[in-house]
Amino acid sequence: MGYKLNLENLNIALKELSKEYRIFAPKVLSGEGTFSDTDIVRYGEIETVQEIEFNKKSQFSYKEVLLPIRQTLFFFTEDQIKEAEVEEKAALIFLRSCDMNALKRIDDMYLRNGFEDIYYKKLREKAKFVLIGCEESFDSCFCVNMGTNKTDEHDAYLKVSGNYAFVDIKDSSLLEVFASLTKEEVEVTPDFVEENEVKVNIPENLELKVMNSKMWAEYSERCIACGRCNFVCPTCTCFNMQDIFYKDNKKAGERRRVWSSCQVDGYTVMAGGHSFRNDKGQRMRYKVLHKVYDYKKRWGYNMCVGCGRCDDICPEYISFSNCINKLEDAMEEVK
Ligand code: SF4
Ligand code: SF4
């Protein structure tokens, strides 16, 4: 059972929720696109439902709310260390099914991979998630083949139609906020896409020897190692460490972690200067097999959720979904 209420009342609910939560949703950032006079859709704080962009895919995912692009972990002096504070206020995040499924992958990495990351855990524990349905697939999505077109992990669901909002609230604390508002009880069922135009086929017989295929050579030429595909990916979780020393006291500073990318130069540089995967085709191979091969061996499902953002953002028009679809022939080639 859910509710139908008008957008004015939904905004009253959002205002009430903003006392406890920072509210994040995909929104249009005018003039902030890659090229001059272009817009970008990415996550930002909102106050009203009208600010949410429902009709376009966000180019970046919500992950920067829980895993900031740059995050100070601790401050240090010569003989003292002080852990950095983590944002006190909880986050309420509006997101689509693919991203809800991506959250499970980020939790794997930061909570279940042999240790719990305290910085992530503090933000994650308090966060609530509101599902935005998908009436239709966007052009580059392939969530259906990745099995991520549906979810039931959300705390609430929201659909906007005209001047009305249709909500289904599973979380009791969120439900309380709606108690005093004028609303009508209605059946609300999430919209999930059942078909994408883009189809992918991950061959059943995929094995590590696909590393030896000639297919990777194409990417040595075409990829420019910009890392954009990793930064927009809701399931990429790698970071680098930076120690920043203050100018006025060079013996004090802070340690930060900063998003990183397995496609960029320097990612695999070891102490002593040795670097693995200097070739960009090798980096592509590493990324692809991590997303659709070895992760599944460890966790039982693929890492990639088929959001298609990497295809949308690549300046060299390299398509991840096309790459997956070459794996079958590649396995034939190396068998
Ligand atoms: S690899 Fe590409 S399609 Fe898959 S989850 Fe990451 S950005 Fe989305
Ligand atoms: S976005 Fe494209 S060009 Fe940039 S690193 Fe990724 S695959 Fe290479």
Side-chain angles (χ1 to χ4, degrees):
M1 182 61 72
Y3 299 111
K4 177 184 177 185
L5 66 167
N6 64 35
L7 297 188
E8 289 74 27
N9 276 327
L10 180 63
N11 281 337
I12 291 171
L14 289 177
K15 190 162 189 192
E16 188 59 29
L17 285 165
S18 70
K19 292 177 187 163
E20 196 180 337
Y21 297 94
R22 293 184 301 149
I23 305 175
F24 293 90
K27 60 193 277 194
V28 177
L29 304 183
S30 292
E32 294 190 29
T34 307
F35 304 105
S36 59
D37 301 323
T38 58
D39 303 336
I40 189 168
V41 181
R42 63 185 295 177
Y43 273 75
E45 286 195 58
I46 57 136
E47 292 178 355
T48 64
V49 65
Q50 285 83 0
E51 291 171 73
I52 304 177
E53 175 54 71
F54 288 100
N55 299 321
K56 294 180 188 149
K57 192 197 299 185
S58 64
Q59 281 154 295
F60 283 72
S61 81
Y62 72 94
K63 77 176 176 185
E64 61 189 289
V65 177
L66 301 178
L67 288 173
I69 296 171
R70 187 179 65 227
Q71 185 172 31
T72 299
L73 303 182
F74 57 82
F75 301 92
F76 57 83
T77 60
E78 275 173 282
D79 54 7
Q80 282 184 320
I81 290 175
K82 182 182 179 300
E83 203 177 287
E85 302 288 334
V86 172
E87 170 66 48
E88 283 290 314
K89 214 168 173 185
L92 181 72
I93 302 171
F94 289 75
L95 75 183
R96 296 178 190 278
S97 176
C98 57
D99 281 351
M100 199 69 233
N101 278 276
L103 179 70
K104 194 166 153 189
R105 279 77 173 158
I106 301 179
D107 284 352
D108 290 342
M109 288 297 103
Y110 280 79
L111 299 176
R112 295 190 279 266
N113 199 20
F115 78 105
E116 286 185 342
D117 181 277
I118 52 168
Y119 302 94
Y120 176 77
K121 192 177 176 191
K122 281 179 188 166
L123 293 170
R124 171 68 176 91
E125 274 179 341
K126 292 182 290 186
K128 296 271 162 66
F129 299 89
V130 182
L131 181 70
I132 303 171
C134 295
E135 284 175 62
E136 285 177 20
S137 170
F138 295 104
D139 288 348
S140 57
C141 302
F142 50 98
C143 54
V144 175
N145 287 152
M146 299 312 295
T148 57
N149 54 320
K150 296 185 178 171
T151 180
D152 60 2
E153 302 278 310
H154 47 286
D155 297 300
Y157 171 76
L158 168 69
K159 176 179 174 145
V160 169
S161 181
N163 195 37
Y164 290 98
F166 296 83
V167 294
D168 181 19
I169 303 163
K170 300 202 276 179
D171 180 87
S172 55
S173 66
L174 296 181
L175 194 56
E176 281 172 22
V177 174
F178 288 78
S180 60
L181 296 172
T182 306
K183 56 196 180 303
E184 183 188 333
E185 279 196 7
V186 290
E187 196 72 42
V188 176
T189 314
D191 290 321
F192 295 124
V193 292
E194 298 289 346
E195 194 169 7
N196 308 121
E197 205 166 303
V198 176
K199 314 269 192 276
V200 294
N201 170 39
I202 303 166
E204 289 287 327
N205 65 346
L206 191 58
E207 287 181 46
L208 265 191
K209 61 185 176 188
V210 79
M211 289 168 68
N212 302 321
S213 165
K214 291 197 282 290
M215 71 171 272
W216 310 110
E218 174 193 347
Y219 305 104
S220 307
E221 301 297 320
R222 286 180 61 198
C223 174
I224 58 169
C226 64
R228 292 172 81 179
C229 50
N230 295 119
F231 298 136
V232 299
C233 178
T235 65
C236 279
T237 54
C238 289
F239 58 81
N240 265 329
M241 288 295 190
Q242 290 179 348
D243 283 349
I244 310 294
F245 293 88
Y246 300 141
K247 276 188 182 152
D248 50 354
N249 178 2
K250 292 214 167 11
K251 291 179 177 168
E254 59 191 74
R255 175 164 295 181
R256 297 174 182 169
R257 65 178 171 201
V258 185
W259 282 9
S260 186
S261 154
C262 56
Q263 294 286 141
V264 303
D265 294 342
Y267 176 80
T268 57
V269 175
M270 311 289 289
H274 179 70
S275 183
F276 300 98
R277 299 190 298 274
N278 281 317
D279 179 75
K280 293 187 283 287
Q282 292 175 348
R283 295 176 197 167
M284 188 72 177
R285 182 208 71 213
Y286 170 81
K287 182 182 74 180
V288 171
L289 293 185
H290 188 38
K291 296 284 181 197
V292 301
Y293 177 69
D294 57 80
Y295 194 92
K296 188 172 182 182
K297 289 211 172 304
R298 171 89 194 272
W299 299 97
Y301 40 81
N302 283 309
M303 189 184 204
C304 172
V305 294
C307 71
R309 289 186 176 101
C310 50
D311 285 21
D312 300 334
I313 206 81
C314 178
E316 296 297 304
Y317 303 104
I318 290 170
S319 163
F320 187 78
S321 51
N322 278 350
C323 185
I324 295 177
N325 284 332
K326 289 177 187 168
L327 292 172
E328 189 168 359
D329 285 348
M331 277 306 295
E332 276 297 303
E333 175 200 332
V334 298
K335 82 176 179 193

